[in-house]
Amino acid sequence: MLKEFKDFVMRGNVLDLAVAVVIGAAFGAIVTSLVEHVITPLLLAPALKAAHLDDIDKLMWGTVKIGKFLSAVIQFVIIAFILFLIVKFFKSLEKKKVPPASEPSGTEKLLAQILDELKKRP
């Protein structure tokens, strides 16, 4: 059973997925910090002051925490946009790959010779 587990874990897809999850979590923490410590104070400060609040977490409508929801939406938009850019970048790399030209088959060579002979005739 241990050997099977080792074989399962050592497959490339599992390791790639594990690395992606760890990097994604770290990236999520960076985006959370960006939203909470940069975007909210700079962009939403006037709106918070107008609402007589000092923290977006206190922005509520009844018991609904609209501030936390807005923060989550901003984080989602940033992460989705970054992922869009990453996918677009890798797709542009794929387009640049030119498949190797295949040699014509024997039939195609023979047809080309026949066509050349026909062109020589009046």
mmCIF file of all heavy atoms in Angstrom, residues 77-115:
data_model
loop_
_atom_site.group_PDB
_atom_site.id
_atom_site.type_symbol
_atom_site.label_atom_id
_atom_site.label_comp_id
_atom_site.label_asym_id
_atom_site.label_seq_id
_atom_site.Cartn_x
_atom_site.Cartn_y
_atom_site.Cartn_z
ATOM 1 N N VAL A 77 -11.896 39.690 -8.421
ATOM 2 C CA VAL A 77 -11.654 40.346 -9.710
ATOM 3 C C VAL A 77 -10.155 40.430 -9.985
ATOM 4 O O VAL A 77 -9.701 40.158 -11.107
ATOM 5 C CB VAL A 77 -12.320 41.736 -9.753
ATOM 6 C CG1 VAL A 77 -11.860 42.536 -10.947
ATOM 7 C CG2 VAL A 77 -13.830 41.593 -9.757
ATOM 8 N N ILE A 78 -9.373 40.768 -8.974
ATOM 9 C CA ILE A 78 -7.921 40.869 -9.160
ATOM 10 C C ILE A 78 -7.335 39.503 -9.502
ATOM 11 O O ILE A 78 -6.563 39.362 -10.458
ATOM 12 C CB ILE A 78 -7.253 41.463 -7.919
ATOM 13 C CG1 ILE A 78 -7.629 42.941 -7.776
ATOM 14 C CG2 ILE A 78 -5.732 41.315 -7.982
ATOM 15 C CD1 ILE A 78 -7.186 43.565 -6.474
ATOM 16 N N ILE A 79 -7.700 38.482 -8.749
ATOM 17 C CA ILE A 79 -7.165 37.138 -9.000
ATOM 18 C C ILE A 79 -7.614 36.628 -10.370
ATOM 19 O O ILE A 79 -6.819 36.065 -11.130
ATOM 20 C CB ILE A 79 -7.583 36.163 -7.876
ATOM 21 C CG1 ILE A 79 -6.841 36.526 -6.587
ATOM 22 C CG2 ILE A 79 -7.297 34.717 -8.266
ATOM 23 C CD1 ILE A 79 -7.280 35.737 -5.381
ATOM 24 N N ALA A 80 -8.876 36.836 -10.725
ATOM 25 C CA ALA A 80 -9.374 36.382 -12.028
ATOM 26 C C ALA A 80 -8.638 37.088 -13.160
ATOM 27 O O ALA A 80 -8.288 36.461 -14.165
ATOM 28 C CB ALA A 80 -10.880 36.627 -12.132
ATOM 29 N N PHE A 81 -8.377 38.387 -13.001
ATOM 30 C CA PHE A 81 -7.671 39.132 -14.042
ATOM 31 C C PHE A 81 -6.236 38.639 -14.186
ATOM 32 O O PHE A 81 -5.749 38.443 -15.306
ATOM 33 C CB PHE A 81 -7.688 40.633 -13.729
ATOM 34 C CG PHE A 81 -7.017 41.461 -14.790
ATOM 35 C CD1 PHE A 81 -7.588 41.603 -16.040
ATOM 36 C CD2 PHE A 81 -5.800 42.077 -14.543
ATOM 37 C CE1 PHE A 81 -6.973 42.356 -17.033
ATOM 38 C CE2 PHE A 81 -5.175 42.834 -15.524
ATOM 39 C CZ PHE A 81 -5.765 42.973 -16.766
ATOM 40 N N ILE A 82 -5.559 38.393 -13.078
ATOM 41 C CA ILE A 82 -4.179 37.886 -13.131
ATOM 42 C C ILE A 82 -4.159 36.504 -13.789
ATOM 43 O O ILE A 82 -3.304 36.217 -14.639
ATOM 44 C CB ILE A 82 -3.548 37.832 -11.725
ATOM 45 C CG1 ILE A 82 -3.445 39.232 -11.130
ATOM 46 C CG2 ILE A 82 -2.189 37.151 -11.760
ATOM 47 C CD1 ILE A 82 -2.546 40.187 -11.868
ATOM 48 N N LEU A 83 -5.087 35.637 -13.428
ATOM 49 C CA LEU A 83 -5.142 34.314 -14.056
ATOM 50 C C LEU A 83 -5.443 34.425 -15.546
ATOM 51 O O LEU A 83 -4.884 33.674 -16.350
ATOM 52 C CB LEU A 83 -6.187 33.438 -13.362
ATOM 53 C CG LEU A 83 -5.817 32.964 -11.969
ATOM 54 C CD1 LEU A 83 -6.979 32.197 -11.345
ATOM 55 C CD2 LEU A 83 -4.566 32.109 -11.999
ATOM 56 N N PHE A 84 -6.316 35.346 -15.921
ATOM 57 C CA PHE A 84 -6.598 35.584 -17.334
ATOM 58 C C PHE A 84 -5.323 35.966 -18.075
ATOM 59 O O PHE A 84 -5.037 35.452 -19.160
ATOM 60 C CB PHE A 84 -7.652 36.686 -17.472
ATOM 61 C CG PHE A 84 -7.799 37.200 -18.873
ATOM 62 C CD1 PHE A 84 -8.455 36.463 -19.841
ATOM 63 C CD2 PHE A 84 -7.269 38.430 -19.229
ATOM 64 C CE1 PHE A 84 -8.587 36.941 -21.137
ATOM 65 C CE2 PHE A 84 -7.397 38.912 -20.513
ATOM 66 C CZ PHE A 84 -8.053 38.171 -21.471
ATOM 67 N N LEU A 85 -4.534 36.866 -17.487
ATOM 68 C CA LEU A 85 -3.283 37.287 -18.121
ATOM 69 C C LEU A 85 -2.292 36.126 -18.236
ATOM 70 O O LEU A 85 -1.619 35.980 -19.259
ATOM 71 C CB LEU A 85 -2.647 38.444 -17.341
ATOM 72 C CG LEU A 85 -3.401 39.770 -17.384
ATOM 73 C CD1 LEU A 85 -2.695 40.792 -16.503
ATOM 74 C CD2 LEU A 85 -3.540 40.280 -18.803
ATOM 75 N N ILE A 86 -2.223 35.296 -17.206
ATOM 76 C CA ILE A 86 -1.311 34.151 -17.233
ATOM 77 C C ILE A 86 -1.725 33.169 -18.322
ATOM 78 O O ILE A 86 -0.894 32.710 -19.121
ATOM 79 C CB ILE A 86 -1.257 33.463 -15.851
ATOM 80 C CG1 ILE A 86 -0.539 34.366 -14.846
ATOM 81 C CG2 ILE A 86 -0.574 32.101 -15.941
ATOM 82 C CD1 ILE A 86 -0.642 33.889 -13.416
ATOM 83 N N VAL A 87 -3.010 32.836 -18.384
ATOM 84 C CA VAL A 87 -3.502 31.897 -19.407
ATOM 85 C C VAL A 87 -3.285 32.473 -20.797
ATOM 86 O O VAL A 87 -2.844 31.771 -21.717
ATOM 87 C CB VAL A 87 -4.986 31.554 -19.163
ATOM 88 C CG1 VAL A 87 -5.587 30.812 -20.344
ATOM 89 C CG2 VAL A 87 -5.127 30.745 -17.891
ATOM 90 N N LYS A 88 -3.565 33.768 -20.963
ATOM 91 C CA LYS A 88 -3.377 34.404 -22.264
ATOM 92 C C LYS A 88 -1.906 34.364 -22.676
ATOM 93 O O LYS A 88 -1.577 34.110 -23.839
ATOM 94 C CB LYS A 88 -3.874 35.850 -22.197
ATOM 95 C CG LYS A 88 -3.857 36.547 -23.514
ATOM 96 C CD LYS A 88 -4.521 37.896 -23.431
ATOM 97 C CE LYS A 88 -4.420 38.543 -24.789
ATOM 98 N NZ LYS A 88 -5.448 39.480 -25.055
ATOM 99 N N PHE A 89 -1.005 34.589 -21.728
ATOM 100 C CA PHE A 89 0.429 34.536 -22.015
ATOM 101 C C PHE A 89 0.841 33.147 -22.490
ATOM 102 O O PHE A 89 1.531 33.006 -23.502
ATOM 103 C CB PHE A 89 1.235 34.935 -20.778
ATOM 104 C CG PHE A 89 2.714 34.725 -20.918
ATOM 105 C CD1 PHE A 89 3.473 35.569 -21.713
ATOM 106 C CD2 PHE A 89 3.342 33.669 -20.276
ATOM 107 C CE1 PHE A 89 4.835 35.365 -21.853
ATOM 108 C CE2 PHE A 89 4.698 33.468 -20.412
ATOM 109 C CZ PHE A 89 5.448 34.313 -21.207
ATOM 110 N N PHE A 90 0.395 32.104 -21.781
ATOM 111 C CA PHE A 90 0.783 30.754 -22.169
ATOM 112 C C PHE A 90 0.143 30.325 -23.484
ATOM 113 O O PHE A 90 0.743 29.585 -24.253
ATOM 114 C CB PHE A 90 0.480 29.757 -21.047
ATOM 115 C CG PHE A 90 1.520 29.779 -19.967
ATOM 116 C CD1 PHE A 90 1.250 30.344 -18.734
ATOM 117 C CD2 PHE A 90 2.782 29.269 -20.190
ATOM 118 C CE1 PHE A 90 2.206 30.385 -17.746
ATOM 119 C CE2 PHE A 90 3.749 29.298 -19.216
ATOM 120 C CZ PHE A 90 3.471 29.862 -17.980
ATOM 121 N N LYS A 91 -1.067 30.798 -23.759
ATOM 122 C CA LYS A 91 -1.684 30.485 -25.056
ATOM 123 C C LYS A 91 -0.935 31.166 -26.192
ATOM 124 O O LYS A 91 -0.827 30.621 -27.282
ATOM 125 C CB LYS A 91 -3.154 30.888 -25.065
ATOM 126 C CG LYS A 91 -4.009 29.938 -24.283
ATOM 127 C CD LYS A 91 -5.465 30.151 -24.555
ATOM 128 C CE LYS A 91 -6.232 29.125 -23.758
ATOM 129 N NZ LYS A 91 -7.395 28.663 -24.423
ATOM 130 N N SER A 92 -0.403 32.363 -25.939
ATOM 131 C CA SER A 92 0.374 33.037 -26.985
ATOM 132 C C SER A 92 1.674 32.284 -27.249
ATOM 133 O O SER A 92 2.169 32.268 -28.369
ATOM 134 C CB SER A 92 0.659 34.489 -26.600
ATOM 135 O OG SER A 92 1.619 34.552 -25.562
ATOM 136 N N LEU A 93 2.222 31.649 -26.231
ATOM 137 C CA LEU A 93 3.427 30.836 -26.434
ATOM 138 C C LEU A 93 3.110 29.606 -27.272
ATOM 139 O O LEU A 93 3.914 29.192 -28.099
ATOM 140 C CB LEU A 93 4.020 30.409 -25.095
ATOM 141 C CG LEU A 93 4.647 31.502 -24.241
ATOM 142 C CD1 LEU A 93 5.179 30.903 -22.941
ATOM 143 C CD2 LEU A 93 5.768 32.206 -24.984
ATOM 144 N N GLU A 94 1.942 29.016 -27.052
ATOM 145 C CA GLU A 94 1.548 27.837 -27.821
ATOM 146 C C GLU A 94 1.359 28.171 -29.288
ATOM 147 O O GLU A 94 1.678 27.375 -30.152
ATOM 148 C CB GLU A 94 0.253 27.249 -27.262
ATOM 149 C CG GLU A 94 0.413 26.551 -25.945
ATOM 150 C CD GLU A 94 -0.910 26.037 -25.409
ATOM 151 O OE1 GLU A 94 -1.936 26.142 -26.109
ATOM 152 O OE2 GLU A 94 -0.920 25.530 -24.283
ATOM 153 N N LYS A 95 0.838 29.341 -29.596
ATOM 154 C CA LYS A 95 0.607 29.721 -30.986
ATOM 155 C C LYS A 95 1.915 29.881 -31.743
ATOM 156 O O LYS A 95 1.970 29.674 -32.932
ATOM 157 C CB LYS A 95 -0.175 31.033 -31.053
ATOM 158 C CG LYS A 95 -1.603 30.904 -30.624
ATOM 159 C CD LYS A 95 -2.309 32.236 -30.701
ATOM 160 C CE LYS A 95 -3.715 32.133 -30.171
ATOM 161 N NZ LYS A 95 -4.385 33.434 -30.140
ATOM 162 N N LYS A 96 2.975 30.257 -31.041
ATOM 163 C CA LYS A 96 4.250 30.485 -31.698
ATOM 164 C C LYS A 96 4.943 29.195 -32.090
ATOM 165 O O LYS A 96 5.830 29.199 -32.911
ATOM 166 C CB LYS A 96 5.158 31.320 -30.787
ATOM 167 C CG LYS A 96 4.667 32.738 -30.618
ATOM 168 C CD LYS A 96 5.573 33.533 -29.732
ATOM 169 C CE LYS A 96 5.019 34.940 -29.547
ATOM 170 N NZ LYS A 96 5.817 35.731 -28.623
ATOM 171 N N LYS A 97 4.535 28.087 -31.489
ATOM 172 C CA LYS A 97 5.116 26.805 -31.848
ATOM 173 C C LYS A 97 4.619 26.407 -33.230
ATOM 174 O O LYS A 97 3.431 26.281 -33.469
ATOM 175 C CB LYS A 97 4.730 25.727 -30.837
ATOM 176 C CG LYS A 97 5.344 25.914 -29.480
ATOM 177 C CD LYS A 97 4.904 24.802 -28.561
ATOM 178 C CE LYS A 97 5.412 25.016 -27.158
ATOM 179 N NZ LYS A 97 4.907 23.992 -26.247
ATOM 180 N N VAL A 98 5.536 26.212 -34.141
ATOM 181 C CA VAL A 98 5.177 25.816 -35.497
ATOM 182 C C VAL A 98 5.414 24.318 -35.622
ATOM 183 O O VAL A 98 6.520 23.839 -35.344
ATOM 184 C CB VAL A 98 6.033 26.584 -36.535
ATOM 185 C CG1 VAL A 98 5.697 26.140 -37.937
ATOM 186 C CG2 VAL A 98 5.851 28.074 -36.350
ATOM 187 N N PRO A 99 4.397 23.587 -36.020
ATOM 188 C CA PRO A 99 4.600 22.148 -36.165
ATOM 189 C C PRO A 99 5.594 21.879 -37.304
ATOM 190 O O PRO A 99 5.609 22.600 -38.298
ATOM 191 C CB PRO A 99 3.211 21.611 -36.504
ATOM 192 C CG PRO A 99 2.455 22.776 -37.002
ATOM 193 C CD PRO A 99 3.060 23.992 -36.378
ATOM 194 N N PRO A 100 6.417 20.880 -37.142
ATOM 195 C CA PRO A 100 7.393 20.590 -38.187
ATOM 196 C C PRO A 100 6.691 20.179 -39.483
ATOM 197 O O PRO A 100 5.668 19.498 -39.459
ATOM 198 C CB PRO A 100 8.213 19.430 -37.618
ATOM 199 C CG PRO A 100 7.353 18.827 -36.562
ATOM 200 C CD PRO A 100 6.482 19.933 -36.040
ATOM 201 N N ALA A 101 7.245 20.649 -40.574
ATOM 202 C CA ALA A 101 6.674 20.326 -41.882
ATOM 203 C C ALA A 101 6.912 18.849 -42.168
ATOM 204 O O ALA A 101 8.031 18.354 -42.061
ATOM 205 C CB ALA A 101 7.310 21.188 -42.956
ATOM 206 N N SER A 102 5.840 18.179 -42.540
ATOM 207 C CA SER A 102 5.984 16.753 -42.828
ATOM 208 C C SER A 102 6.370 16.572 -44.291
ATOM 209 O O SER A 102 6.019 17.371 -45.152
ATOM 210 C CB SER A 102 4.669 16.026 -42.531
ATOM 211 O OG SER A 102 3.653 16.553 -43.349
ATOM 212 N N GLU A 103 7.099 15.539 -44.540
ATOM 213 C CA GLU A 103 7.511 15.224 -45.905
ATOM 214 C C GLU A 103 6.304 14.721 -46.678
ATOM 215 O O GLU A 103 5.446 14.037 -46.124
ATOM 216 C CB GLU A 103 8.595 14.146 -45.874
ATOM 217 C CG GLU A 103 9.879 14.605 -45.263
ATOM 218 C CD GLU A 103 11.016 14.484 -46.252
ATOM 219 O OE1 GLU A 103 10.814 13.911 -47.333
ATOM 220 O OE2 GLU A 103 12.088 14.982 -45.927
ATOM 221 N N PRO A 104 6.224 15.064 -47.961
ATOM 222 C CA PRO A 104 5.104 14.545 -48.748
ATOM 223 C C PRO A 104 5.194 13.022 -48.862
ATOM 224 O O PRO A 104 6.284 12.452 -48.915
ATOM 225 C CB PRO A 104 5.263 15.217 -50.109
ATOM 226 C CG PRO A 104 6.558 15.926 -50.106
ATOM 227 C CD PRO A 104 7.085 15.941 -48.715
ATOM 228 N N SER A 105 4.036 12.400 -48.910
ATOM 229 C CA SER A 105 4.007 10.939 -49.029
ATOM 230 C C SER A 105 4.420 10.536 -50.444
ATOM 231 O O SER A 105 4.545 11.371 -51.344
ATOM 232 C CB SER A 105 2.594 10.426 -48.718
ATOM 233 O OG SER A 105 1.703 10.874 -49.725
ATOM 234 N N GLY A 106 4.599 9.260 -50.615
ATOM 235 C CA GLY A 106 4.985 8.742 -51.934
ATOM 236 C C GLY A 106 3.948 9.079 -52.995
ATOM 237 O O GLY A 106 4.286 9.431 -54.132
ATOM 238 N N THR A 107 2.681 9.000 -52.632
ATOM 239 C CA THR A 107 1.610 9.322 -53.571
ATOM 240 C C THR A 107 1.668 10.795 -53.960
ATOM 241 O O THR A 107 1.503 11.136 -55.140
ATOM 242 C CB THR A 107 0.244 8.996 -52.949
ATOM 243 O OG1 THR A 107 0.241 7.645 -52.510
ATOM 244 C CG2 THR A 107 -0.887 9.227 -53.918
ATOM 245 N N GLU A 108 1.900 11.663 -52.984
ATOM 246 C CA GLU A 108 1.967 13.096 -53.270
ATOM 247 C C GLU A 108 3.162 13.417 -54.168
ATOM 248 O O GLU A 108 3.065 14.261 -55.070
ATOM 249 C CB GLU A 108 2.056 13.899 -51.966
ATOM 250 C CG GLU A 108 0.763 13.870 -51.152
ATOM 251 C CD GLU A 108 0.915 14.482 -49.770
ATOM 252 O OE1 GLU A 108 2.063 14.586 -49.272
ATOM 253 O OE2 GLU A 108 -0.113 14.859 -49.187
ATOM 254 N N LYS A 109 4.285 12.738 -53.938
ATOM 255 C CA LYS A 109 5.464 12.947 -54.794
ATOM 256 C C LYS A 109 5.167 12.514 -56.228
ATOM 257 O O LYS A 109 5.520 13.201 -57.188
ATOM 258 C CB LYS A 109 6.663 12.166 -54.251
ATOM 259 C CG LYS A 109 7.259 12.739 -52.995
ATOM 260 C CD LYS A 109 8.425 11.891 -52.523
ATOM 261 C CE LYS A 109 8.978 12.382 -51.208
ATOM 262 N NZ LYS A 109 10.069 11.524 -50.713
ATOM 263 N N LEU A 110 4.518 11.372 -56.364
ATOM 264 C CA LEU A 110 4.177 10.863 -57.689
ATOM 265 C C LEU A 110 3.198 11.809 -58.400
ATOM 266 O O LEU A 110 3.386 12.115 -59.581
ATOM 267 C CB LEU A 110 3.570 9.457 -57.566
ATOM 268 C CG LEU A 110 3.193 8.763 -58.870
ATOM 269 C CD1 LEU A 110 4.427 8.589 -59.752
ATOM 270 C CD2 LEU A 110 2.539 7.437 -58.592
ATOM 271 N N LEU A 111 2.219 12.313 -57.668
ATOM 272 C CA LEU A 111 1.268 13.257 -58.275
ATOM 273 C C LEU A 111 1.976 14.545 -58.687
ATOM 274 O O LEU A 111 1.650 15.129 -59.729
ATOM 275 C CB LEU A 111 0.128 13.555 -57.302
ATOM 276 C CG LEU A 111 -0.888 12.422 -57.103
ATOM 277 C CD1 LEU A 111 -1.854 12.762 -55.983
ATOM 278 C CD2 LEU A 111 -1.630 12.139 -58.392
ATOM 279 N N ALA A 112 2.927 14.994 -57.896
ATOM 280 C CA ALA A 112 3.677 16.207 -58.246
ATOM 281 C C ALA A 112 4.486 15.973 -59.514
ATOM 282 O O ALA A 112 4.567 16.856 -60.384
ATOM 283 C CB ALA A 112 4.584 16.610 -57.093
ATOM 284 N N GLN A 113 5.085 14.782 -59.666
ATOM 285 C CA GLN A 113 5.851 14.466 -60.878
ATOM 286 C C GLN A 113 4.927 14.425 -62.095
ATOM 287 O O GLN A 113 5.280 14.924 -63.170
ATOM 288 C CB GLN A 113 6.565 13.126 -60.716
ATOM 289 C CG GLN A 113 7.726 13.172 -59.754
ATOM 290 C CD GLN A 113 8.316 11.773 -59.526
ATOM 291 O OE1 GLN A 113 7.788 10.762 -60.007
ATOM 292 N NE2 GLN A 113 9.419 11.737 -58.784
ATOM 293 N N ILE A 114 3.766 13.835 -61.937
ATOM 294 C CA ILE A 114 2.814 13.779 -63.050
ATOM 295 C C ILE A 114 2.383 15.183 -63.441
ATOM 296 O O ILE A 114 2.315 15.527 -64.628
ATOM 297 C CB ILE A 114 1.590 12.903 -62.675
ATOM 298 C CG1 ILE A 114 2.009 11.444 -62.506
ATOM 299 C CG2 ILE A 114 0.472 13.047 -63.699
ATOM 300 C CD1 ILE A 114 0.939 10.550 -61.924
ATOM 301 N N LEU A 115 2.126 16.028 -62.462
ATOM 302 C CA LEU A 115 1.723 17.408 -62.732
ATOM 303 C C LEU A 115 2.829 18.158 -63.453
ATOM 304 O O LEU A 115 2.560 18.902 -64.415
ATOM 305 C CB LEU A 115 1.363 18.115 -61.415
ATOM 306 C CG LEU A 115 0.815 19.524 -61.524
ATOM 307 C CD1 LEU A 115 -0.477 19.526 -62.329
ATOM 308 C CD2 LEU A 115 0.584 20.108 -60.151
#
